[in-house]
Amino acid sequence: MSAGPSGAPERIVVVGASLAGLSAAHALRSHGFTGSLTLVGDEPHAPYDRPPLSKQVLRGLFSPDTTLPRHPDLNAEFRLGTPARALDLGAHTVNLGDGTTLPYDRLLIATGTRARPWPKPDEAMLAGVFTLRTRDDSEKLAGRLKAGPKRVVLVGGGFIGFEVASTCRDLDIPVTLLVRDGQPLEAALGPRLGGLVGAIARERGVDLRLGAEIERMEAEGGRLTGVTLKGGERIEADIVVAAIGTVRNVEWLEGSGLAADEGGVLCDGYCRALRTNGDIVPDVFAAGDVARWPNPHGDEALVAVEHWGNARAQAKAAAHNMLAGPAAGLTRHDHLPDFWSQQFGLTIKLVGLTDGADSLAVVHGSLEARRFVALYGREGRTVAAVSIDSARWLPAYEAAIRERAPFPPIEDAIDQPRLRIEEP
């Protein structure tokens, strides 16, 4: 391994050429790094923005080319369409799928996630069966929606499924949404507010089925013609979108000695990767969807957050720490997770994490008006806030979450209804 004065790195490799990887590259240059900088990506495309893919791109409002801006002085080498295959911590090298080897002084792992595939490979191969994660996925699905399918069946009760359902209704396409367990959006919003969004979806014409799942898909000539649900009901459809979660891209790290599994790459609060025995690897860092780190706003519980804002913030913290010498000190990654979604004419914004919440209170607006801010509490402390078409109060509650304020933290504010505490 080579290094400049005082151990400063001369060669930095970023594995993952998406939002986190590009954000880290820009931050490295802004912090004064002038050495060799290489970004490795398994897709052939330059780093691009994912949030528009399930919204504007599917509607035909945006081109599938959502390439992220790149500083003209970035001076980085991009190895695109070339996945990483192995990591050798001892030799400080990354082996690529094309047989080449990249040496590094510092390494950032930002490989993100991929769409979880439909569990039956023969059905997943049918024409008309889609997942939605990449630019290519969005472009192909947008083309099929533009052609006017008879019906789209969506599988999964998360935000991607609901955003696609909203797009289908905007395009006047019949859509059935299957949610196997509980209420829609329950993992993010809890059953109370998830059920409200489900009711809104039904009002907008979505055939929402709770406790429903596919027994088998039916096809003619390799093309989807319908699905049969458990229980025997058949639904004619020429498109199925499997929005059943994501898989973290860690397989290439098998045997490397890093603590990496389906939960992500384990790292400390300073984005430094950990070995399987818990030791810090001082020259390997992780950021973005693939990183699993102790959340200071959640009593140091380990989390992996698939949010746009976290990818940028964690990449910047990692970049700082990759260059920090003994005198400069390390920067703790303390981003408070936040998320937004647009669907059925509503803008939903969430700050904090609702995991383990035991109480809910509407603190502005009302559920009946579908314009409100609601807070989540856990053991008497405010841990998250969500707004629907009413985001102006969120900054105040974000500060309360950071300060570990009691639940609820603000009472008797202007426009605040009489508080009623209930289960989420």
Side-chain angles (χ1 to χ4, degrees):
M1 179 178 74
S2 64
S6 303
E10 295 180 355
R11 299 173 300 191
I12 293 180
V13 173
V14 178
V15 181
S18 193
L19 175 65
L22 184 62
S23 297
H26 281 137
L28 288 165
R29 292 305 191 204
S30 70
H31 288 313
F33 176 65
T34 59
S36 168
L37 178 58
T38 303
L39 282 80
V40 176
D42 61 348
E43 292 187 59
H45 308 296
Y48 59 87
D49 208 15
R50 294 187 191 277
L53 299 181
S54 61
K55 309 175 183 71
Q56 293 89 347
V57 172
L58 285 189
R59 283 182 173 85
L61 302 177
F62 285 9
S63 157
D65 183 1
T66 59
T67 301
L68 291 164
R70 189 186 308 175
H71 195 283
D73 297 327
L74 183 61
N75 189 26
E77 178 187 7
F78 285 81
R79 302 286 295 271
L80 301 176
T82 309
R85 293 302 186 200
L87 169 63
D88 189 326
L89 294 178
H92 293 85
T93 58
V94 175
N95 298 327
L96 304 185
D98 62 3
T100 60
T101 299
L102 293 177
Y104 66 84
D105 300 326
R106 302 284 189 276
L107 172 68
L108 177 65
I109 299 171
T111 44
T113 63
R114 62 186 184 274
R116 186 177 297 280
W118 186 250
K120 297 180 180 180
D122 56 333
E123 295 181 346
M125 295 292 292
L126 293 174
V129 178
F130 295 86
T131 56
L132 181 57
R133 174 66 182 170
T134 69
R135 169 179 163 175
D136 291 343
D137 293 339
S138 184
E139 184 173 9
K140 292 175 183 176
L141 180 56
R144 288 296 306 273
L145 295 182
K146 186 177 180 180
K150 296 178 180 178
R151 177 171 293 273
V152 174
V153 172
L154 293 159
V155 185
F159 279 106
I160 292 296
F162 271 75
E163 288 175 358
V164 176
S166 175
T167 295
C168 288
R169 295 309 302 138
D170 287 345
L171 298 174
D172 199 28
I173 297 171
V175 58
T176 297
L177 178 54
L178 308 179
V179 180
R180 185 180 65 180
D181 300 316
Q183 290 289 338
L185 305 176
E186 185 170 339
L189 302 180
R192 181 80 167 88
L193 299 188
L196 174 65
V197 177
I200 293 171
R202 282 192 170 113
E203 291 172 5
R204 303 299 172 88
V206 175
D207 176 25
L208 176 61
R209 309 286 190 94
L210 303 183
E213 55 185 310
I214 293 175
E215 175 68 31
R216 65 181 180 276
M217 297 184 190
E218 300 175 8
E220 292 181 4
R223 181 171 295 275
L224 179 79
T225 59
V227 299
T228 297
L229 305 183
K230 291 188 175 179
E233 180 183 357
R234 186 182 186 278
I235 299 175
E236 290 191 13
D238 36 12
I239 291 178
V240 165
V241 181
I244 52 177
T246 57
V247 179
R248 291 181 173 83
N249 294 318
V250 297
E251 291 84 358
W252 68 283
L253 297 171
E254 185 176 353
S256 68
L258 290 185
D261 56 23
E262 62 182 12
V265 177
L266 187 61
C267 56
D268 68 4
Y270 302 96
C271 309
R272 297 175 296 186
L274 304 181
R275 293 182 183 270
T276 53
N277 64 3
D279 288 348
I280 293 170
V281 183
D283 49 14
V284 178
F285 296 75
D289 296 0
V290 76
R292 190 174 182 220
W293 46 280
N295 177 19
H297 307 290
D299 299 323
E300 304 297 325
L302 294 174
V303 296
V305 179
E306 299 176 25
H307 296 168
W308 192 92
N310 181 73
R312 291 192 67 205
Q314 196 166 27
K316 291 178 179 180
H320 175 275
N321 294 337
M322 292 171 85
L323 302 178
L330 300 177
T331 295
R332 175 73 192 262
H333 174 54
D334 69 347
H335 177 75
L336 184 64
D338 58 351
F339 177 80
W340 65 275
S341 175
Q342 291 177 326
Q343 51 187 269
F344 305 108
L346 306 174
T347 298
I348 303 172
K349 294 188 176 182
L350 175 69
V351 60
L353 294 174
T354 63
D355 297 355
D358 54 32
S359 48
L360 174 76
V362 176
V363 294
H364 295 281
S366 69
L367 301 184
E368 292 75 19
R370 277 82 183 273
R371 292 177 61 91
F372 62 87
V373 175
L375 300 185
Y376 297 83
R378 185 176 65 238
E379 298 177 352
R381 179 165 65 88
T382 302
V383 295
V386 64
S387 71
I388 292 185
D389 284 353
S390 187
R392 66 189 181 97
W393 282 98
L394 276 186
Y397 292 110
E398 178 178 353
I401 296 167
R402 287 185 174 276
E403 294 165 4
R404 303 174 66 86
F407 175 83
I410 301 172
E411 299 187 52
D412 301 322
I414 297 174
D415 298 332
Q416 188 178 73
R418 182 177 180 179
L419 296 186
R420 184 179 68 186
I421 310 300
E422 57 184 282
E423 293 184 358

